[in-house]
Structures are given as C-alpha cells and as structure tokens.
Amino acid sequence: MFPDLARDDVFRLETRRFWLRWPRVADAPAITRYSSRREVAEKTARIPHPYPPGEAERYIFTARAANAEGRNLTLAIAPTGDRRDVIGMISLEGRRQGRLTLGYALAPEWWGRGVMTEAARAVIDAAFSLTLAVEIFANTRVGNVASRRVLEKCGFAHTGAGLEGAPARGGMVESDRFRLDRNAWNGLLAGRNAHAPATSIASGDAP
C-alpha cells in the first residue's frame, strides 16, 4: 500500500507545529504515560486499561514492522520546539485494496488545541499523495464529540452508526462511521491552493 519512501524509518511529515515520524523504543515512556490514563484508553478501541507493563514497547515494535512492510503508516506526534516527547500517535491501516482506516490517540493535556486536526490533515494528504487509496474510513465512539469534530474538519462525511469491534473495550461498541474519498479530498485541496502548504514530506534525521 505505502511506497518505499514511507517504509524507511527516516520518513517524516512536518506540519506547522509538529513532526510526525516513526515511533522509536525511546518513545515508550511517553506513550505509556498518556496511554495509561483512563480518559485516553476508553475513547479508543485498542488501548487496554489498566495499561500492561511492556505494552508500549510491543506496540512500537508492531507499528514499525507494519510500516516497514508498507501495510500501515503509524507515526508519532512530537512538537517541533525544544520539547520533543511524543504527545500522541496517528495511524493509517490498510483495510482492503485502495482503502485505509484512520486512528489516533492524544495526551489529554494537548486536547482542545487543534493538534489532532493538524496531524490528521497531514497524514490524509500523505495518504492520497503517496498511494493509490480511493477512500479513508474512520470510526468514533458515539458521544465522542471532539473526535467527531476532528473528522468533520478534515472533510469526512458521516455515513451512519453501528457496532464496531473494540477489543480493548470488551467487544463491540456503538460507533459513528465516517468516510473521506479521493474526490472529496481533491476538492478540499483545491480550496487550500491560495495558502502555504500545511505539510512537507521529508527524509533524514527527525527530532
């Protein structure tokens, strides 16, 4: 799904405030800190609570392996300034031919600051620019207004609600479903033509 450019661990995206880069073993303590918080875990389908010892290292290893194979693109979100601790993760997972699924989690102290909208726009642009994907799907738990707002700001259309798998939540949970196709993204991109690019794609040493 993803090209050789994204399969190298020097791949990164730069937005106005953040680096989006491959996760590293050194990120485990930061990932553990926010993933261990109930208010983060309960908004996701896969983060267990309580958060087991070694889970962050396992997650990083799995994410890096999938990145290297080009199946998925999972990136750590880190501020571009002096503070370089990871504050969240964002991923695009191959769903089936030409389709991707968007997922993310963010440290609570960064909620309400536009972080995930900025990061999501960057990975969406990369997905449609670097791959032949025709559409991206996303789900949020019913009642997760903040996550729904992120998707709406990124151009996703609500397609209904229903039960979706949430292994870490004990089974199926009621979720809102969203979809963004390539044609809709092209329209959004055209609307941004008068502005400076929000994202740059680079390789080399990232912070």
Side-chain angles (χ1 to χ4, degrees), residues 11 21 41 47 50 54 63 73 76 80 85 87 118 123 131 140 147 156 159 170 178 189 195:
F11 174 84
R21 56 160 175 80
I47 297 177
L73 183 62
T80 55
D85 283 350
I87 62 169
E118 187 173 331
V123 298
T131 78
T140 69
S147 185
F156 282 77
T159 60
F178 294 84
L189 198 62
H195 301 86

Side-chain angles (χ1 to χ4, degrees), residues 54-75:
E55 179 65 16
E57 288 83 357
R58 184 205 63 79
Y59 168 77
I60 291 166
F61 176 82
T62 302
R64 288 179 63 89
N67 282 359
E69 294 169 5
R71 292 186 286 110
N72 301 338
L73 183 62
T74 298
L75 301 175

Side-chain angles (χ1 to χ4, degrees), residues 16-80:
R16 183 173 60 86
R17 295 180 292 168
F18 305 104
W19 288 109
L20 311 182
R21 56 160 175 80
W22 278 38
R24 306 164 180 160
V25 172
D27 298 324
I31 293 173
T32 298
R33 278 195 297 273
Y34 70 75
S35 296
S36 297
R37 297 177 63 169
R38 179 184 294 275
E39 64 266 41
V40 173
E42 67 185 8
K43 294 181 184 299
T44 74
R46 299 182 186 173
I47 297 177
H49 187 82
Y51 198 66
E55 179 65 16
E57 288 83 357
R58 184 205 63 79
Y59 168 77
I60 291 166
F61 176 82
T62 302
R64 288 179 63 89
N67 282 359
E69 294 169 5
R71 292 186 286 110
N72 301 338
L73 183 62
T74 298
L75 301 175
I77 305 169
T80 55

Side-chain angles (χ1 to χ4, degrees), residues 61-122:
F61 176 82
T62 302
R64 288 179 63 89
N67 282 359
E69 294 169 5
R71 292 186 286 110
N72 301 338
L73 183 62
T74 298
L75 301 175
I77 305 169
T80 55
D82 291 337
R83 176 180 173 179
R84 296 181 178 182
D85 283 350
V86 168
I87 62 169
M89 300 292 300
I90 188 163
S91 66
L92 287 166
E93 298 185 358
R95 179 166 177 166
R96 56 185 184 273
Q97 188 63 35
R99 275 98 181 153
L100 295 165
T101 300
L102 176 69
Y104 43 77
L106 183 67
E109 57 268 28
W110 288 84
W111 291 0
R113 298 166 66 175
V115 174
M116 201 50 72
T117 300
E118 187 173 331
R121 284 175 175 161

